[in-house]
Amino acid sequence: MSTWNFAAVWEVVADVQPDAPAQVQGDRRFSWRQFERRADAVAAWLLAQGIAPGETVAQLLYSCPEYLESMFAAWKIGLPPVNTNYRYGGDELVYLWDNADVGAVVFHGEFTARITSIMDRVPRVTRWLWVDDGSGPCPSWATSYAAVVAAAETAPVDASGSAPATVAPWGRSPDDLYLL
């Protein structure tokens, strides 16, 4: 049986063409090596925070590199990412995140007030990863995405310049999902 999932495919691309552009947003540019290392940092953070099989990782983000990186991170550790429409109000977020068994949310700072207003209604979400969008400081109950991926810059690498891939103890499956 194959163990390939989306993360495995993207890891191969990163190995084959590490310096090729993977993500471009305005002046921000990330190579495949950087894309993988940033996703590894997020995956390692999720595991360190105790994320477990059966949980999912939601993205409440506008289009940005962190969106794909956090999806990549979820797939690396065999968990489904959950696309979350940024237009959703509180009741819709509660409904989606509760029914999707969300354990972690990656969100733009702009959504801090909306999230704060529903946190008590989504008690399973215990991991919050804040992406700076210039709208205000990181709330005390969240972790800065930039701080998490900064670890990727100093992570050890092998002779090829690649960092070891982050994989959860429960592994990956070609049946890993994407909840859309």
Side-chain angles (χ1 to χ4, degrees):
M1 176 162 123
S2 171
T3 59
W4 287 83
N5 75 356
F6 283 110
V9 172
W10 285 351
E11 287 167 349
V12 168
V13 175
D15 287 344
V16 172
Q17 48 186 15
D19 298 318
Q23 297 190 91
V24 176
Q25 182 195 31
D27 292 336
R28 299 174 73 196
R29 288 170 169 41
F30 296 103
S31 69
W32 276 95
R33 177 182 292 124
Q34 291 169 310
F35 179 39
E36 181 176 15
R37 293 192 75 180
R38 291 169 60 91
D40 273 336
V42 173
W45 181 84
L46 289 165
L47 289 171
Q49 298 302 307
I51 197 115
E55 291 185 282
T56 63
V57 180
Q59 290 77 26
L60 180 56
L61 298 164
Y62 295 115
S63 295
C64 63
E66 293 83 1
Y67 185 94
L68 283 178
E69 291 164 3
S70 62
M71 288 179 62
F72 192 1
W75 283 321
K76 279 177 168 289
I77 57 175
L79 299 179
V82 179
N83 179 52
T84 303
N85 190 314
Y86 65 86
R87 292 181 182 95
Y88 283 173
D91 289 341
E92 293 162 312
L93 293 173
V94 170
Y95 179 83
L96 174 63
W97 293 348
D98 184 51
N99 284 285
D101 297 323
V102 171
V105 175
V106 184
F107 68 99
H108 268 123
E110 176 181 325
F111 303 115
T112 299
R114 191 176 314 163
I115 290 170
T116 301
S117 73
I118 64 159
M119 287 179 79
D120 62 329
R121 295 171 57 200
V122 288
R124 284 190 289 206
V125 182
T126 58
R127 302 153 200 95
W128 302 93
L129 202 50
W130 172 83
V131 176
D132 189 359
D133 60 4
S135 64
C138 181
S140 61
W141 43 265
T143 300
S144 167
Y145 190 99
V148 168
V149 299
E153 299 303 319
T154 58
V157 296
D158 61 23
S160 71
S162 297
T166 302
V167 179
W170 52 85
R172 299 177 183 165
S173 166
D175 294 327
D176 289 340
L177 303 173
Y178 173 36
L179 300 178
L180 183 61

